[in-house]
Amino acid sequence: ADQGDHLIQANDAYTAAGNVTYLRGAHTFKTGVEERLYRGNNSQANNVISFNFDRAFTRGPDPNTSAQNVGNGFATFLLGFPTGGDARRFPATTYTNRSFGAFVQDDWKLTPKLTLNLGVRWEVESVVTDRFNAISNFDPALPVKLGNLDLKGGLVYPGVNGVPRGHR
């Protein structure tokens, strides 16, 4: 039965923060920190494997003939010779990302009509990682040995052979 295309998401976001305000004369000092954790859990159910069957293998004694009305796709299917196909698989993703921020601020009331708002905020965000190290990437420079052939290009996985765990 066809399940159709659909996406299942179960995402979490957690935040912890703290702020302090201190009043002294004409100054209002404020400082604070915040940390966030984002977790994305996504699954797609449109994994597909399909085969195509055309007239190519049932064209009679000469399968290279160019006649359009020779052969039968269903007969090719019964022989078990697909002429093409498609395979798609979308693995579940379990991405994690963290962010951190801190600030210091001084609201300084110089006169009843003039207040200076002085401050600085610093934020840093981590790289995105997969909790189960399932993400991969294609490295065109990766040396690959296939029998006596020295080839280049292949998949690299996070946390394996010095590859960092996150997207950079």
Side-chain angles (χ1 to χ4, degrees):
D2 182 14
Q3 295 180 8
D5 293 346
H6 63 275
L7 175 67
I8 301 169
Q9 293 183 314
N11 301 323
D12 302 320
Y14 301 96
T15 302
N19 298 302
V20 174
T21 301
Y22 176 71
L23 302 172
R24 180 164 181 148
H27 295 274
T28 302
F29 298 102
K30 298 177 186 177
T31 187
V33 294
E34 177 180 55
E35 185 170 15
R36 294 183 193 156
L37 170 67
Y38 300 104
R39 295 191 315 184
N41 302 286
N42 302 317
S43 176
Q44 289 182 294
N46 60 348
N47 300 329
V48 173
I49 296 177
S50 65
F51 297 99
N52 301 329
F53 299 90
D54 65 18
R55 302 172 183 212
F57 289 101
T58 56
R59 288 185 175 163
D62 184 6
N64 293 321
T65 184
S66 62
Q68 295 297 319
N69 58 354
V70 177
N72 185 289
F74 186 68
T76 303
F77 165 74
L78 292 175
L79 290 173
F81 292 115
T83 55
D86 185 24
R88 291 179 286 156
R89 182 174 185 301
F90 298 97
T93 58
T94 55
Y95 293 132
T96 301
N97 176 267
R98 292 181 180 270
S99 66
F100 178 81
F103 75 94
V104 177
Q105 180 179 332
D106 179 14
D107 293 337
W108 183 12
K109 190 168 184 104
L110 292 172
T111 69
K113 293 186 177 185
L114 178 62
T115 301
L116 291 180
N117 299 101
L118 308 169
V120 63
R121 181 169 177 91
W122 173 74
E123 292 189 12
V124 63
E125 191 164 329
S126 72
V127 296
V128 175
T129 60
D130 186 316
R131 289 190 307 279
F132 302 111
N133 291 339
I135 56 177
S136 65
N137 200 2
F138 182 77
D139 182 356
L142 183 72
V144 177
K145 184 90 169 156
L146 184 63
N148 293 331
L149 296 174
D150 290 324
L151 305 173
K152 291 209 182 270
L155 292 179
V156 292
Y157 298 92
V160 177
N161 296 329
V163 175
R165 286 200 58 234
H167 294 292
R168 301 227 182 252

